[in-house]
Amino acid sequence: NAGVTQTPKFRILKIGQSMTLQCAQDMNHNYMYWYRQDPGMGLKLIYYSVGAGITDKGEVPNGYNVSRSTTEDFPLRLELAAPSQTSVYFCASSYSGHADYGYTFGSGTRLTVV
Amino acid sequence: EDKVVQSPLSLVVHEGDTVTLNCSYEVTNFRSLLWYKQEKKAPTFLFMLTSSGIEKKSGRLSSILDKKELFSILNITATQTGDSAIYLCAPNTGNQFYFGTGTSLTVIP
């Protein structure tokens, strides 16, 4: 199994550009999450989804959008990139919210906005 | 407001030392607490704790939860250079996890 796959691994954006961070999992997990991690900081939840067609805001949703049209995919959209969105983005999934064995994380996307 | 505080923020020890990492939390609808190890990539799962007073062990690592006092500790005995990482705790409320800022551990040979 591939687990959680994130693409791209690195990206540089100019201010005002848009992009979509892709996340796919092949474990039939219901729950999926997007986190950002700034240098020296913990992970902060951007959006999460408890199943296809259902999404909800996390701690820091401003400037982002998500969709969950299938169980497998949970893309994160940045519409107007700002320097404050320079961060490492992690996608994660779990079978349930209780996450008996924790999350499975993707390898991350390092985004720089200049 | 939900809050997770980890201490110390950073720690430098010599190989063979024993370390204790602390995590205190205040979250609504607490269900469980997870510990993760993060090296230069995505976090990897260490432990999930749901009950107070029951120690979980994996090799040189162990962890325990106190639901009354709202904290957890992670112990690492006989530290090795491969233990150098950021250790994150994350209480879970059922729908999401709240991550602390982590404790950065550096083990010197």
Side-chain angles (χ1 to χ4, degrees):
Chain A
N1 284 343
V4 177
T5 302
Q6 283 185 244
T7 56
K9 292 193 186 306
F10 304 94
R11 184 73 187 268
I12 298 174
L13 280 183
K14 293 185 178 179
I15 294 172
Q17 286 186 318
S18 301
M19 78 163 293
T20 299
L21 281 67
Q22 301 292 343
C23 176
Q25 52 91 9
D26 61 358
M27 298 170 285
N28 202 32
H29 282 174
N30 293 317
Y31 284 63
M32 295 187 75
Y33 314 81
W34 274 105
Y35 285 91
R36 59 176 286 171
Q37 186 174 33
D38 300 331
M41 306 290 285
L43 292 103
K44 292 196 179 291
L45 182 66
I46 306 171
Y47 271 95
Y48 67 100
S49 167
V50 304
I54 306 169
T55 62
D56 209 345
K57 295 178 181 178
E59 193 178 359
V60 289
N62 291 343
Y64 306 95
N65 278 301
V66 293
S67 59
R68 184 94 182 270
S69 56
T70 65
T71 299
E72 294 78 19
D73 299 299
F74 191 41
L76 177 72
R77 178 86 177 157
L78 283 72
E79 290 294 349
L80 292 170
S84 61
Q85 293 178 305
T86 294
S87 189
V88 179
Y89 291 83
F90 289 103
C91 177
S93 72
S94 62
Y95 183 72
S96 73
H98 299 269
D100 289 346
Y101 296 97
Y103 288 167
T104 301
F105 280 89
S107 57
T109 295
R110 185 175 295 277
L111 176 67
T112 303
V113 182
V114 296
Chain B
E1 182 180 320
D2 296 318
K3 186 169 65 175
V4 182
V5 178
Q6 290 188 246
S7 64
L9 288 180
S10 65
L11 195 55
V12 180
V13 300
H14 288 95
E15 268 193 320
D17 287 350
T18 293
V19 297
T20 298
L21 310 182
N22 303 293
C23 173
S24 64
Y25 63 90
E26 292 179 34
V27 298
T28 53
N29 300 317
F30 175 86
R31 305 298 280 268
S32 63
L33 185 142
L34 276 68
W35 282 96
Y36 287 86
K37 177 183 182 182
Q38 185 177 24
E39 297 168 272
K40 293 188 192 307
K41 50 188 177 184
T44 54
F45 173 77
L46 293 175
F47 297 111
M48 187 183 82
L49 305 162
T50 55
S51 302
S52 281
I54 298 175
E55 185 182 52
K56 292 228 173 167
K57 289 192 67 132
S58 176
R60 295 176 294 101
L61 278 66
S62 64
S63 185
I64 198 161
L65 174 68
D66 186 327
K67 288 165 73 173
K68 182 180 176 185
E69 299 297 331
L70 307 182
F71 77 88
S72 175
I73 60 172
L74 175 69
N75 282 315
I76 309 175
T77 59
T79 51
Q80 302 171 357
T81 55
D83 296 327
S84 295
I86 295 173
Y87 291 84
L88 300 164
C89 75
N92 169 249
T93 64
N95 271 343
Q96 58 181 282
F97 290 83
Y98 291 90
F99 283 86
T101 54
T103 293
S104 176
L105 174 66
T106 302
V107 181
I108 301 171

